[in-house]
Amino acid sequence: MKLITRPNDFSGLKILLASEFLNLPIELEVTPSAEKTVLIVNDDCQLFSCNAAVWYLACLSGQKKVNLQQDKWMDWESTTLHPEIQAFLNKQPQQLITTLEHLDKATRNKFLIGNSLSAADIVIFCSLIVISDCKFMANCPNVTKWFNNMYTSAQFKIAASKLDIKIKQTEPDQCEEEEAAISLEDIEHAVKHWKTSNINKPKPITHPVLPVEGERNVLITSALPYVNNFPHLGNIIGCVLSADVFARYCRLRNYNTLYICGTDEYGTATETKALEEGLTPQQICDKYFKLHDGVYKWFDISFDHFGRTTTPNQTKIAQDIFLKLYRNNYLTEDTMEQLLCEHCKIFLADRFVEGTCPLCGYEDARGDQCDKCGKLVNAVELKSPRCKMCRHAPVIKTSKHLFLNLPLLEDKLTSWMDSVTSGWTHNARVIANSWVKEGLKPRCITRDLKWGTPVPLEGYTDKVFYVWFDAPIGYLSITACYTEEWERWWKNREQVVHYEFMAKDNVPFHSVVFPSSQLGTHDPYTLVNHLVATEYLNYEDGKFSKSRGVGVFGNNAQETGIPADVWRFYLLYVRPESQDSTFSWSDLMAKNNTELLNNLGNFANRALSFLEKNYGSCVPAMTVGQEEKMLLVRINRELKQYIALLENAKLRDAIKPIFSISRLGNQLMQAAQPWVLIKSTIEEEKAKAGTVIGLCANIICQLSVMLLPYMPNLSAKLQEQLGVGPDINHLIPEFTCRLPAGHRIGKPAPLFQKIEQVQIDELKKRFSGAQVGSASPGNPAVATPAPPLAEASNTLETPENLALKVAQQGDKVRQLKAAKAEKAIVTAAVAELLDLKKRLATAEEVATKQTNDTPAVTTEKPTLTNSVENLTKQVTEQGDKVRGLKTTKADKASIDAAVAVLLELKKQLALAEGKDPAESSGNATGKSKKKGQQK
């Protein structure tokens, strides 16, 4: 075996220390270039997990029996101790004291388990080294004694020296506790604001909302959805839902906020959908506008106005921008080759042409952009083009068109971009800059279509504007339909800050084409200050596809029985902010049942029910002591983090402080145990119970405000239970006492319902579409699970091999638990681990029995008769065992493992009798086949 690690690496220390304590020689390679610590067992097996490697080494040393206590402690180290230590090192300690106190109770003896060192001792010791000089350790005398016993050992000194680890022992009181990091000023600030009850009420919304001089005026838009279909979950989270969360946050902060969106209704997509459904384009637009509007209302999207682009205002404003560009000489005439589908008898819009990308060779590139390499292409440049509707190859026709001369506008565009892109998301900056670096080219803005905004120029009146020139102007025209004073929002760069939310595929047109059009008018148009782009949301193992029935679309979500707020929460929880993410039914169930039901819901219901039962629904008097003051500071820190994240539109990350505050409340309840204090005969303890429950009620009130952007219906329900109205929905950076002593709450009730596995299984099946039962190279079907190892091979696995597999699977389980993976995945992994442990125990039992049955070494050769007799006896006993397992209907894994042992024993018996083992196996196989054929 060989260990490869870096100098001063504590992961490598775990493995090396195990080899020293267990006296197992391993080759060591210490190199700064090592990407990750790895234990190379053999050519076929490498262990990258230090815990799995330590467990495996312990097995090799003779500790091969399954040890539940050891497994429990190793799980605890990876899922509880390690995360708490990391939080402590990041100045965010939560339960480290409690965690160490738990360990302190278990380290009263020299070792954690029994009278000998175990793998658990080694991994926990190595984790504690980084906090060994902390006061928390000094408060745990048993842990300190146990730790020092290992720290002063020769084995540790040898291992540390090999890795050049320099550990300086310091007195525990030289370490600063968390309390030391909280200054007196922090405490005074927190207490001062806690006592402040005069909080400004939320600003009333009067329509139309208009900019106000001297206030923060925030204009929010989200990419306009096409009306040719229902939006899927990726569309919803990428655009309207993300913008809605930010708009609700801005209103909580009393910013002057306008949120505008609508349907994009012009273009070939609409014409084609009209042909499919036998309707006119206008009828299609009317139909799908209502469907979109219904979906967004169900998701509780708080538009100030949701409009559409097929309006006179759209024609008026788009033509005005066009004519100003024309007069300012930013347009040019040229001929353009277009693709005509002779079968469908229409010119094909770019998005209705597919083919091979001329740049990267991707076979399913669209006519306007390649989704694989992200580059813009012209439809006629595609290799092997095909009509997306009929799959026939289109022909090229030449037509005269108008182009936006982007090279002439490049200086204006880049100058503006330099001043604002620091406020854009990283992907938006990258995409926009790549366009500019490659050199801007004239972009065609007209099309040979009927359904669109007509071009107001002689010689082009039979054409319409290209959708990507026309559609972004919809933001302006929809605002004009909302208020006649629309220019106070859209021609007001000095007073208005514009946020635009979209998926990354829309970035080029909103970062280059539309701003260039605005700049080219020479009017003071409001330009986008914050371009907030998401990556893609995938569905399970593939992509959303309406045609194949794969994935959940906006209308489907309403049919699942899962509340809209749970959908909102989960989509925001997996929002693809910096990389693609995946919608998973199992994960949706897990997040609902853990974060919402068990964390937030349990805390709120438990605290408010206790308040109702023991205090007649009236908030008791609260006396804030030192512990409570520290809690106020911690809540303030989380609150400030929440605000800082949302100010930067980090919507997914801002969920974490909400649940951190909820956990602080849960910890307060659990640690103080007000249900015990209230029964005390000591008045101070009874008063303490009142303080705790009053604080908890106020924490819940604070959470109700923070939850409003994410789960507005839940927020309102929670505030009803608290006995407060919407007047409290003003967010400030300090935690204040919104529910003073004497305030009467409403009727507590559960906030969430558990989602059951059977419901998820049904929904997963329902929305799997063509992915179920079929496979294609680009979209594999759900893989058939591999048969259990015992079923796949009749060869008896050695205890050594099984020990290695148990080590690997055990670490997998610990990692899943540490990452708080969904329950279904963890359960499956645990089941596989238990199966491996059963097989390991069986294999060790057989190995032990065979060892015991082997005659002692003598000078005489053992007789064949004795070998045959022993093996015959073992075959009989094992056969009885298999029949017993089948009779009692034991689990399949146990039966398979016992059968594998029986088959191996039969092979050995056949060899001892001088027979061909394959003949015996063949007979068994033949019986099996015959039985199968009779079914």
Side-chain angles (χ1 to χ4, degrees), residues 755-822:
I755 298 177
E756 301 292 347
Q757 184 64 51
V758 64
Q759 182 184 2
I760 289 299
D761 291 341
E762 190 279 327
L763 290 170
K764 188 182 293 187
K765 180 179 179 182
R766 176 180 170 188
F767 295 109
S768 61
Q771 286 185 341
V772 175
S774 62
S776 63
N779 181 33
V782 177
T784 302
L789 292 173
E791 189 177 322
S793 171
N794 285 336
T795 301
L796 181 66
E797 293 176 291
T798 66
E800 288 75 14
N801 288 338
L802 283 168
L804 187 58
K805 290 174 182 176
V806 169
Q808 293 170 318
Q809 187 65 19
D811 188 66
K812 180 180 178 181
V813 169
R814 284 187 285 273
Q815 288 178 355
L816 288 171
K817 289 180 178 179
K820 296 183 179 179
E822 56 265 29

Side-chain angles (χ1 to χ4, degrees), residues 13-28:
L13 177 64
K14 285 185 179 181
I15 302 171
L16 192 58
L17 186 57
S19 74
E20 293 293 336
F21 270 120
L22 301 171
N23 198 25
L24 291 171
I26 59 175
E27 183 182 350
L28 177 64

Side-chain angles (χ1 to χ4, degrees), residues 522-580:
H522 297 169
D523 287 350
Y525 274 111
T526 302
L527 302 168
V528 61
N529 303 93
H530 300 271
L531 192 54
V532 186
T534 62
E535 300 293 320
Y536 294 133
L537 178 72
N538 297 315
Y539 179 78
E540 295 287 352
D541 295 324
K543 293 184 178 181
F544 290 87
S545 172
K546 188 72 173 178
S547 62
R548 293 187 292 116
V550 176
V552 182
F553 285 69
N555 56 315
N556 304 135
Q558 307 173 48
E559 304 162 1
T560 62
I562 299 173
D565 269 8
V566 174
W567 281 105
R568 286 175 61 106
F569 161 76
Y570 181 68
L571 290 175
L572 289 156
Y573 199 98
V574 297
R575 183 174 184 262
E577 289 190 357
S578 56
Q579 60 184 8
D580 291 356

Side-chain angles (χ1 to χ4, degrees), residues 210-211 218-222 224 258-261 317 321 472-483 485-500 510 514 518 521 523-529:
L210 294 171
V218 182
L219 174 62
I220 301 170
T221 58
S222 57
L224 307 181
L258 179 68
Y259 178 18
I260 291 292
C261 190
I317 297 172
I321 289 175
I473 298 172
Y475 303 128
L476 284 60
S477 71
I478 292 170
T479 309
C481 292
Y482 169 68
T483 173
E485 299 181 82
W486 65 274
E487 290 185 346
R488 289 178 61 182
W489 282 107
W490 284 103
K491 292 186 178 181
N492 192 357
R493 294 181 194 172
E494 300 302 318
Q495 293 185 349
V496 174
V497 179
H498 179 203
Y499 287 79
E500 171 67 38
H510 287 82
F514 182 44
Q518 293 174 292
T521 64
D523 287 350
Y525 274 111
T526 302
L527 302 168
V528 61
N529 303 93

Side-chain angles (χ1 to χ4, degrees), residues 588-623:
L588 168 63
M589 178 183 69
K591 296 299 184 293
N592 177 83
N593 295 347
T594 55
E595 293 290 5
L596 295 182
L597 181 63
N598 293 344
N599 179 352
L600 179 63
N602 179 57
F603 168 53
N605 189 249
R606 184 169 61 151
L608 296 183
S609 296
F610 186 87
L611 179 55
E612 177 194 37
K613 179 181 177 180
N614 294 281
Y615 294 94
S617 299
C618 284
V619 176
M622 292 163 279
T623 303

Side-chain angles (χ1 to χ4, degrees), residues 411-468:
D411 289 344
K412 288 179 179 291
L413 178 70
T414 54
S415 176
W416 164 73
M417 286 177 62
D418 289 342
S419 68
V420 298
T421 51
S422 60
W424 295 9
T425 55
H426 175 73
N427 56 356
R429 290 196 301 271
V430 170
I431 293 169
N433 289 333
S434 67
W435 262 55
V436 174
K437 287 179 181 178
E438 290 175 6
L440 297 178
K441 299 176 182 178
R443 191 78 184 169
C444 183
I445 62 170
T446 56
R447 284 293 185 269
D448 291 304
L449 299 173
K450 300 295 183 184
W451 186 247
T453 301
V455 179
L457 190 67
E458 190 66 31
Y460 292 90
T461 54
D462 60 337
K463 302 181 189 296
V464 299
F465 290 133
Y466 176 40
V467 67
W468 275 117

Side-chain angles (χ1 to χ4, degrees), residues 849 853 867-885 898 901-907 909 913:
K849 190 167 185 177
D853 288 341
S867 298
V868 171
E869 287 176 357
N870 284 335
L871 288 169
T872 301
K873 181 181 178 181
Q874 290 179 40
V875 168
T876 302
E877 290 175 351
Q878 189 65 20
D880 290 338
K881 183 176 180 179
V882 170
R883 283 186 288 275
L885 288 171
V901 174
L902 177 61
L903 291 172
E904 178 64 20
L905 289 170
K906 285 184 175 181
K907 287 182 182 179
L909 176 59
E913 292 177 336

